[in-house]
Amino acid sequence: MDRYNIKNPAETKKSPFGIFIDQNGFLPCDTKKAVIPFDCEFFEIIDKKGSTVFSGETVPFGKDEASGDEVCFAEFTKFRTPGIYRVKAGGKFSALFGISDGIYGGVLDSTLKALYYLRCGCGLDEKYAGVWKHGKCHCSEAVLWEDGSVKRDVTGGWHDAGDYGRYVTAGAVAAAHLLYAFRLFPGAFTGRRVNIPQAEDMPDILAEVKYELEWLLKMQNTDGSVYHKVTTMMHAPFVMPEDDTDTLYVFPASSMAAADLTAVCALAAPIYEKYDRVFSDKLRAAAELSAGWLDAHPEFIGFTNPDGCNTGSYGQWDDNSNRFWAYEEMFTLTGDKKYSDKAEALQSRHFPPAEFGYAETGGLGIFAYLLAPHEKDETTVTKLKNELTRCAQSAKKLCDKSGYGVAMAPNDFHWGSNMTVLKRGMLFAAADIFCGTDLKQYAAAQIHYILGCDPLGISYITGIGEFRANNPHLRPAYADGVDDCIPGMVVGGPNAGLSDPFAKVAVPEGTPPMKCYADVTDSYSLNEITIYWNSPAVFLLAFLNGN
Ligand code: 9MR
Ligand code: 9MR
Ligand code: ZN
């Protein structure tokens, strides 16, 4: 373990607050609620001076299964006056929260900017990165794993996570979440500037995604096959990225990588057309090339780490949903029915319909088809909408059963559970916009949980809220020596599996699933960050902000 040598505080901090609430806050029109994990009859909302501005009786709920808490609610939807407040009840307080129009804007900015902080192959300039600046990283050519005499320029893109690897499927899905956020809620990005470098004049979200797409293009081979990942052999020690100078390897191609690259390039090409014609043409050509490769290689080509390599594998058992997504995007791009027929045929392979990645991508394929500007098969449209509705309704039932309003069953708390929460939020948003089911407050409830309406009272996004995650498993955040973590990063969250040795030390045995979390650096199964945990947050916040 010496190679990693992380020093953690001896004790993990507990929330100083006894009442749990979204520490960012609410729109004036939102359903507003705090969760009180003890018995009490009345609550008040107080302003910063301590004056009572609203009061009411609490609403009993009973036992929340996933946390083991007996809870009641402070409901104050009727209170709409913009300002900054706390909830007070039974002599205890909540953290500060706000009520204002555009309340989601600040968190949207910081979750988007977080991706800039993960840029690889360049330095982060003080002008953009402030105290979180760093030198140029991972700029050398990478060695082809299958032929040590060949080197390739695969610089650029985002670091995947707390580690410095770059993985095609993870990257393509994260980019797609952001592109769909822009495509569906363009209003949320109008005039939104998050201080990142960009050459062309385009919305910042597109400039940031372009940085990832340019790298993805470098991972494509001339025959249309796509390399699965570029990493060192072993995860780096906890050093700054510029100090991770081990040899980089380009690992073998997989069919998931080819499918996801096809899909995201096909999705991106028309979006960039207006801002950067040359880039848009490149994306279109890349999508067509890899779509051709997929046709010529109908068999599944998976990925497992070669001996001696311990970086992420992102292996899968099949590529059905990835191909489905790719073909639906190709249909949307070209209008060629051969693609929608292929997608339709893949559906008989029964993958989960409304998942949004990183491995199962059926829901992204549904987005593509429903948005396609071509003549469509009405039966298929109805079937896909019904799938979204059915999945959203079952997620809604989970929310109604949860004392914290979150769409999670007690056995849903795996590695990266916050991603599951956020993707269920995406599902509510999707059912709301495509099927006309009013689920906006259910979508908002997932963000409320992530930002502090949870049984630990912690905001799972760095930099946001009075009591928040600040010690993620994120190499630069540890090595930079800055106390405040790089802001806007969504951490993995509770994981009842306690899937690393440090989690087992930090979380006592028998802890209920929703409380199996600790804000400690070395626990990668509880407290890492990834690009595809941030990207669904951006999507959801754009929906909440822009509607
Ligand atoms: O830091 C690594 C993290 O990014 C990965 O998600 C995780 C699982 O693959 O592995 C972490 O690296 C650990 C390695 O696997 C085992 N030794 C300790 C490393 C750092 O905690
Ligand atoms: O996010 C992945 C999670 O769903 C898996 O359970 C876990 C173990 O295979 O791996 C996670 O992915 C990690 C990847 O392998 C390397 N970069 C960091 C990712 C997040 O921990
Ligand atoms: Zn790098």
Side-chain angles (χ1 to χ4, degrees):
M1 224 51 89
D2 271 342
R3 176 177 161 87
Y4 297 98
N5 194 29
I6 304 166
K7 291 176 197 67
N8 273 300
E11 251 180 276
T12 57
K13 274 201 245 154
K14 289 218 159 49
S15 170
F17 305 104
I19 298 171
F20 304 139
I21 196 162
D22 181 331
Q23 298 178 47
N24 174 55
F26 308 87
L27 295 172
C29 62
D30 272 346
T31 301
K32 301 176 206 75
K33 182 166 103 178
V35 175
I36 305 179
F38 53 87
D39 195 25
C40 73
E41 250 177 286
F42 300 100
F43 73 95
E44 292 163 64
I45 307 292
I46 57 170
D47 65 15
K48 274 182 137 175
K49 289 187 220 123
S51 314
T52 304
V53 293
F54 185 88
S55 60
E57 279 179 39
T58 62
V59 178
F61 174 83
K63 187 165 174 165
D64 170 65
E65 216 190 313
S67 65
D69 291 349
E70 287 279 343
V71 305
C72 61
F73 302 145
E75 291 186 355
F76 54 100
T77 302
K78 274 192 236 144
F79 182 68
R80 291 165 163 254
T81 315
I84 293 173
Y85 309 100
R86 292 184 197 280
V87 181
K88 183 181 170 190
K92 298 199 171 163
F93 296 88
S94 76
L96 288 173
F97 68 92
I99 297 179
S100 79
D101 290 321
I103 189 83
Y104 298 109
V107 193
L108 176 56
D109 285 347
S110 70
T111 48
L112 173 59
K113 176 78 180 256
L115 294 155
Y116 161 76
Y117 288 115
L118 294 170
R119 284 192 188 192
C120 183
C122 62
L124 300 189
D125 201 276
E126 187 165 8
K127 187 166 143 208
Y128 306 109
V131 288
W132 301 291
K133 65 182 187 227
H134 67 69
K136 276 191 173 186
C137 62
H138 306 110
C139 286
S140 61
E141 285 190 318
V143 176
L144 208 59
W145 175 257
E146 291 152 304
D147 179 354
S149 68
V150 180
K151 287 189 172 179
R152 223 183 140 87
D153 166 28
V154 284
T155 52
W158 301 315
H159 299 137
D160 180 57
D163 65 314
Y164 293 133
R166 286 166 289 144
Y167 310 83
V168 166
T169 54
V173 164
H177 290 159
L178 301 188
L179 290 170
Y180 272 119
F182 179 76
R183 175 100 200 265
L184 293 167
F185 323 116
F189 299 99
T190 314
R192 187 164 295 287
R193 292 291 178 194
V194 293
N195 188 28
I196 57 167
Q198 61 158 300
E200 301 82 10
D201 187 25
M202 59 175 78
D204 276 358
I205 187 167
L206 295 187
E208 197 48 55
V209 175
K210 186 178 176 206
Y211 195 80
E212 178 74 355
L213 291 169
E214 279 172 330
W215 165 72
L216 281 168
L217 293 175
K218 294 183 186 176
M219 294 297 280
Q220 186 184 44
N221 221 338
T222 42
D223 66 351
S225 64
V226 178
Y227 296 110
H228 191 70
K229 67 169 180 176
V230 51
T231 72
T232 50
M233 281 301 278
M234 301 287 285
H235 281 305
F238 266 62
V239 296
M240 291 301 281
E242 62 270 35
D243 298 326
D244 173 29
T245 52
D246 282 3
T247 305
L248 288 166
Y249 291 93
V250 176
F251 288 93
S254 72
S255 54
M256 302 92 81
D260 288 7
L261 180 130
T262 303
V264 77
C265 290
L267 164 64
I271 296 177
Y272 284 92
E273 205 172 295
K274 192 168 133 193
Y275 305 99
D276 186 342
R277 188 60 206 246
V278 175
F279 185 56
S280 166
D281 289 347
K282 256 197 219 169
L283 292 165
R284 184 182 297 264
E288 277 170 355
L289 181 63
S290 286
W293 184 90
L294 287 173
D295 284 346
H297 299 82
E299 74 284 6
F300 169 60
I301 304 172
F303 183 84
T304 46
N305 267 341
D307 283 350
C309 175
N310 85 344
T311 57
S313 65
Y314 290 109
Q316 291 176 213
W317 297 110
D318 67 63
D319 61 10
N320 297 328
S321 74
N322 310 81
R323 284 179 190 260
F324 170 74
W325 177 34
Y327 285 132
E328 293 294 33
E329 294 290 1
M330 285 306 289
F331 170 68
T332 308
L333 179 70
T334 62
D336 189 336
K337 220 177 147 289
K338 94 173 177 212
Y339 292 120
S340 50
D341 287 347
K342 279 175 190 278
E344 177 75 28
L346 278 159
Q347 280 197 296
S348 63
R349 298 197 190 169
H350 303 297
F351 45 84
E355 286 289 336
F356 304 104
Y358 59 84
E360 290 292 345
T361 55
L364 297 170
I366 296 185
F367 282 8
Y369 194 74
L370 295 181
L371 289 167
H374 315 295
E375 197 188 318
K376 284 179 275 195
D377 176 31
E378 276 316 310
T379 329
T380 307
V381 169
T382 309
K383 186 176 77 185
L384 297 182
K385 284 188 179 174
N386 287 346
E387 295 284 23
L388 284 182
T389 307
R390 185 176 58 78
C391 295
Q393 290 302 335
S394 65
K396 181 169 176 275
K397 280 193 194 129
L398 294 176
C399 288
D400 293 336
K401 271 200 221 159
S402 163
Y404 289 90
V406 69
M408 297 286 277
N411 62 4
D412 282 337
F413 291 86
H414 304 297
W415 190 322
S417 65
N418 284 342
M419 171 184 74
T420 311
V421 172
L422 291 164
K423 288 194 310 187
R424 291 193 178 150
M426 282 181 78
L427 177 62
F428 291 131
D432 189 283
I433 50 189
F434 289 116
C435 314
T437 333
D438 180 9
L439 289 168
K440 192 172 174 210
Q441 291 308 319
Y442 282 87
Q446 312 315 303
I447 284 291
H448 298 330
Y449 166 88
I450 295 290
L451 288 170
C453 189
D454 59 69
L456 302 173
I458 191 163
S459 158
Y460 289 118
I461 306 187
T462 61
I464 311 282
E466 279 184 291
F467 183 67
R468 58 186 187 241
N470 194 51
N471 307 295
H473 188 85
L474 169 58
R475 283 165 171 73
Y478 181 78
D480 65 10
V482 180
D483 286 346
D484 283 333
C485 179
I486 305 163
M489 304 278 175
V490 176
V491 299
N495 169 11
L498 302 174
S499 322
D500 70 73
F502 311 97
K504 292 192 171 74
V505 173
V507 178
E509 214 175 298
T511 302
M514 210 193 263
K515 291 181 174 170
C516 286
Y517 170 77
D519 180 27
V520 291
T521 303
D522 45 21
S523 177
Y524 43 88
S525 78
L526 304 179
N527 213 27
E528 192 160 357
I529 64 102
T530 77
I531 53 176
Y532 54 89
W533 298 342
N534 256 74
S535 55
V538 172
F539 180 97
L540 196 49
L541 289 157
F543 168 67
L544 297 172
N545 185 76
N547 265 256

